[in-house]
Amino acid sequence: MKAEIIAVGTELLLGQITNTNARFISGRLAEAGIDVYYHTVVGDNPERLSQSIKLAQQRADILIFSGGLGPTKDDLTKQTIAHELGCELVSNEEAMKTIEEYFDHVGKVMTENNKQQALVLKGSTVLPNRNGMAPGIAIGKADKQYILLPGPPHEMEPMFEHEAIPYLLGVYGKQDIISSKVLKLQGIGESELEVRLQSLLEKQTNPTIAPLASPGMVKLRITAKAKTEEEAQKLISPVEQEIRAIVGEFIYGVDDDTLASKTTELLLQNDWSISAAESLTSGMFMAELGSQPGIGNALKGGVVVYNKEMKIEQLGILSSLLDFHGVVSSECAEAMAESIKERCSTTIGISLTGAAGPEPHDGQPPGTVWIGIAIEGMKTASYKLQLSGSRNTNRMRSVQFALHYLIQMMREKKELKY
Amino acid sequence: MKAEIIAVGTELLLGQITNTNARFISGRLAEAGIDVYYHTVVGDNPERLSQSIKLAQQRADILIFSGGLGPTKDDLTKQTIAHELGCELVSNEEAMKTIEEYFDHVGKVMTENNKQQALVLKGSTVLPNRNGMAPGIAIGKADKQYILLPGPPHEMEPMFEHEAIPYLLGVYGKQDIISSKVLKLQGIGESELEVRLQSLLEKQTNPTIAPLASPGMVKLRITAKAKTEEEAQKLISPVEQEIRAIVGEFIYGVDDDTLASKTTELLLQNDWSISAAESLTSGMFMAELGSQPGIGNALKGGVVVYNKEMKIEQLGILSSLLDFHGVVSSECAEAMAESIKERCSTTIGISLTGAAGPEPHDGQPPGTVWIGIAIEGMKTASYKLQLSGSRNTNRMRSVQFALHYLIQMMREKKELKY
């Protein structure tokens, strides 16, 4: 079963709004086991909309439209589809009542053009609108299904979820479902990952494995097609195990996990407290961790020491150390981590110092970053990064790498503990 | 001149990501006076991509592709277009150098598949990638123009803005241009703004005025259509003056200005130094300021004091003050600001303390925030916010308001100075 999503609206073509409806509808269709091969966006123009309908009829079984059901002159979706299908438009009593009730409720007089919203294709199934006046429409013609949805996401989304999907499952009977599990990796590039998994990637058909890169991080999506969610999981889990056997050390979480959420989880589980001393990231690390609910029980705080003097005054780093090794050095990073751990009396002290760029800093090329991690009962460690992004990409990636190394050391500490 | 935007990527059809590129590209094309009649999204599938190319060739003069230029097997955009245009793919030296330099720089071994990223259409114009490895491509064939862009927005957007648009304007000569000026406001709501500007908003046709709300701030976009940039500016400037006459006190900048960039500008111009003490924002304020190039000359650093003990230990706030007024209070905010200014010996000390939510904090309802600002030679001031967003929205908005009040006080100080 193939579907095509046609969003109607000139504001989309002018770049005034983003077509988030296509994403929502696609996600739900995937879950329902219905393939989507194309998204189309077309303006409020009957000729071009007609062309798009004819084209979609050739390449899809299900045509899903969003937008153009409203009361204004440029809302022409219904009229154009009715014309294409040779269907009449008739006023729907239920819909008309909803509209009249709305105007009573807000105490306004209903203008004529609002009646247009109650028009539906003759013989169609009306999809009630929980959050607006224009109803949705579903109709089957010559072995194609047509679903018309309103444009505003808060009207479209519940309608699609609760009315359109059940309608389609009713028409086609239950399809195979598509289920995905996303593995989140840190510390390995997309291309290196693909090389390591090559043989696995090649032989996979169901489930499939797709690497997805996003700034400072790589994801692997395992997607299975099956009759039930349980079967899908049965297909996914052995493949996940194979992947973990090859690149397990880089996998820090799944699906909605983030490095910050995993870090927070580990801190709270083990009742560990943390403090940070930041130079190039000037607070980004603490801000990122601070975004996690409940972190207040673990994150005590820390300092931002942007220049050399501050490192000496606020952290008591020896100026001799800074003169000898420089502020962008393993020694400085470890001293910063140990000092902040001491001063805030926390289980863990972490530090970031480096050259964010674009200029070199203290003799180090832009993108050179040292991360120091001091953990109670463990040897203080430091990690060097050599980044190549813009100033702010480098700062963001430094925070992600710091969380990555922190998670690794916390896992080690757990081993030691138990 | 008609353009069609074709986004390539199965993850778009699975609803895993939103096609924000189409919106960005459409907006820029509108400003350049180039019409967009269709957006298309197609998966990583050569046959269907070929179909989409043939179709777009019939309905557009300019075909703009985003996505599928990366190193992995499912990146097939270049290969498919080369096939459709009967062009051969050749390795581009410049691009190859960029890739090799990247791997040298990060000290990793380049895997074979990365070389694929240096392939370009023979005879094409290469569009350099400022934030990634895969270059863009522009080529004219049989009175059509083809623009190939990478998928990641942080790579695509600057490339389209700085390389693709000038290329197209070069090919077609200047179209009727659409020029916009954005006024940035802080401290006034969108609806109040609309009320104040109502008469102005109604009578405007060219230029048009559009209020745009974004979390914690409001923008006004003035858009004029004209033959030349100069003519457009002539239309925009009197309207801007009218607006400034009505709501001037809320306008902190234009176009790409941010509260952080204006703050940095004022700090550097006046050779003022700043430090911060953050509680609920846990470093976000310093991180935001730290994102500004050159800020190192003004931002010395500061502390994050997440809990009461830290406020006492790290800032020497009297526990009696905290017991009497609480940590979410004018008194605490001002004491924090003065203490950090003292400890870092800076011109300015700023503090944020409050209840980010969702729970109340120290007896204060979620969203209650106090901002303290201590400036050399001025009376220390504090500002109360009562926010109603989620935990992280409240933290972000607190930072924006802190910058807003800081700018106002710095402007006052300047008055005093001169």
Side-chain angles (χ1 to χ4, degrees), chain A residues 12-20 23 26-27 30 36-43 48 51-52 55 59 180 188-192 194-195 198 202 212 215 221 281-284 286-287 290-293 295-296 299-307 310 313-314 343-344 366 386-388 390-392 395 397, chain B residues 10-20 23 26-27 30 36-43 48 51-52 55 59 71-74 102-103 105-106 108 111 113-114 131 154 221 281-284 286-287 290-296 299-307 310 313-314 343-345 391-392 395:
Chain A
L12 289 158
L13 297 179
L14 287 171
Q16 286 162 349
I17 59 172
T18 306
N19 186 11
T20 55
R23 178 189 184 170
S26 295
V36 176
Y37 281 0
Y38 298 96
H39 295 168
T40 298
V41 176
V42 59
R48 288 192 285 274
Q51 291 308 315
S52 304
L55 178 66
R59 42 188 205 188
S180 289
I188 181 171
E190 185 185 14
S191 48
E192 188 190 342
E194 208 181 54
V195 170
Q198 198 144 29
E202 277 160 2
L212 312 165
R221 188 185 64 241
T281 46
S282 72
M284 287 173 87
M286 290 182 274
S291 68
Q292 299 298 310
I295 190 66
L299 175 64
K300 289 184 78 175
V303 298
V304 171
V305 285
Y306 217 55
N307 61 28
M310 289 283 288
E313 295 158 15
Q314 299 298 311
R343 280 162 192 254
C344 300
Q386 194 59 66
L387 305 171
S388 61
S390 67
R391 171 184 175 79
N392 284 319
R395 297 167 78 231
R397 297 202 59 182
Chain B
T10 300
E11 63 273 32
L12 288 158
L13 297 179
L14 286 170
Q16 283 160 348
I17 58 173
T18 306
N19 186 11
T20 56
R23 178 189 182 169
S26 296
V36 176
Y37 281 0
Y38 297 97
H39 295 169
T40 299
V41 175
V42 59
R48 288 192 284 275
Q51 290 309 314
S52 304
L55 178 66
R59 44 188 202 187
T72 73
K73 269 197 203 46
D74 52 13
Y102 170 83
F103 280 96
H105 185 68
V106 298
K108 286 197 192 145
T111 53
N113 51 359
N114 278 291
N131 299 322
H154 71 287
R221 190 181 61 233
T281 47
S282 71
M284 287 174 86
M286 289 182 274
S291 68
Q292 299 299 311
I295 189 65
L299 175 64
K300 289 184 76 174
V303 297
V304 171
V305 284
Y306 218 55
N307 62 27
M310 289 281 289
E313 294 157 16
Q314 299 298 314
R343 282 164 190 250
C344 301
S345 47
R391 171 183 174 80
N392 283 318
R395 296 167 77 233

Side-chain angles (χ1 to χ4, degrees), chain A residues 180-186 193 197 200 209-212 214 217-222 236-237 239-245 247-248 250-257:
Chain A
S180 289
K181 182 165 193 178
V182 175
L183 306 181
K184 302 250 183 107
L185 296 86
Q186 171 74 12
L193 180 65
L197 297 178
L200 198 56
I209 309 172
L212 312 165
S214 48
M217 189 228 288
V218 180
K219 304 177 209 166
L220 274 177
R221 188 185 64 241
I222 312 172
I236 289 172
S237 103
V239 175
E240 177 180 354
Q241 294 322 314
E242 277 191 82
I243 294 171
R244 288 186 179 274
V247 291
F250 302 106
I251 300 173
Y252 66 82
V254 300
D255 297 331
D256 296 335
D257 292 338

Side-chain angles (χ1 to χ4, degrees), chain B residues 33-34 48 57 68-69 109 133 143 151 167 172 218 246 269 298 336 375 401 408:
Chain B
I34 297 170
R48 288 192 284 275
Q57 285 169 331
L69 303 186
V109 187
M133 282 187 280
D143 79 8
Y167 170 88
Y172 295 109
V218 181
I246 303 168
Q269 275 171 4
M336 284 169 69
I375 301 185
F401 273 105
Q408 290 189 335

Side-chain angles (χ1 to χ4, degrees), chain B residues 115-352:
Chain B
K115 293 188 177 162
Q116 180 182 317
Q117 297 187 94
L119 294 176
V120 301
L121 295 164
K122 192 169 185 179
S124 64
T125 303
V126 175
L127 311 178
N129 186 338
R130 303 179 177 200
N131 299 322
M133 282 187 280
I137 298 169
I139 187 168
K141 277 265 175 188
D143 79 8
K144 307 272 175 207
Q145 290 293 329
Y146 301 81
I147 309 279
L148 285 65
L149 305 163
H154 71 287
E155 298 181 25
M156 184 284 290
E157 293 181 3
M159 184 187 292
F160 190 72
E161 186 105 55
H162 303 296
E163 312 289 342
I165 285 283
Y167 170 88
L168 288 171
L169 293 178
V171 170
Y172 295 109
K174 264 209 164 312
Q175 304 292 309
D176 221 13
I177 63 132
I178 297 179
S179 183
S180 291
K181 181 164 193 178
V182 176
L183 306 180
K184 304 255 183 104
L185 296 86
Q186 172 75 11
I188 181 171
E190 188 185 15
S191 49
E192 190 192 341
L193 181 65
E194 268 190 62
V195 172
R196 292 210 198 183
L197 297 177
Q198 196 147 27
S199 57
L200 197 57
L201 291 169
E202 277 160 2
K203 72 166 197 252
Q204 287 303 325
T205 55
N206 186 22
T208 56
I209 309 172
L212 314 161
S214 47
M217 104 149 86
V218 181
K219 305 177 211 165
L220 276 175
R221 190 181 61 233
I222 312 171
T223 308
K225 190 159 190 166
K227 284 261 161 299
T228 67
E229 184 58 41
E230 294 61 37
E231 282 178 46
Q233 290 310 322
K234 277 211 193 70
L235 291 166
I236 289 171
S237 103
V239 175
E240 177 180 356
Q241 293 323 313
E242 279 191 81
I243 295 170
R244 287 187 179 274
I246 303 168
V247 290
E249 77 255 45
F250 302 106
I251 300 173
Y252 66 82
V254 301
D255 297 333
D256 296 336
D257 291 339
T258 62
L259 286 162
S261 70
K262 295 305 282 186
T263 303
T264 306
E265 199 179 296
L266 278 162
L267 287 167
L268 297 178
Q269 275 171 4
N270 298 282
D271 203 0
W272 291 331
S273 59
I274 186 168
S275 57
E278 303 187 50
S279 181
L280 83 154
T281 47
S282 71
M284 287 174 86
F285 179 89
M286 289 182 274
E288 176 77 3
L289 257 194
S291 68
Q292 299 299 311
I295 189 65
N297 300 317
L299 175 64
K300 289 184 76 174
V303 297
V304 171
V305 284
Y306 218 55
N307 62 27
K308 188 172 171 179
E309 293 61 44
M310 289 281 289
K311 292 180 179 68
I312 296 167
E313 294 157 16
Q314 299 298 314
L315 288 171
I317 308 293
L318 298 172
S319 60
S320 57
L321 180 150
L322 298 180
D323 295 338
F324 191 75
H325 298 288
V327 296
V328 183
S329 66
S330 162
E331 292 75 8
C332 178
E334 296 192 2
M336 284 169 69
E338 284 167 356
S339 164
I340 197 64
K341 171 177 171 295
E342 220 39 65
R343 282 164 190 250
C344 301
S345 47
T346 46
T347 323
I348 301 169
I350 187 164
S351 71
L352 297 104

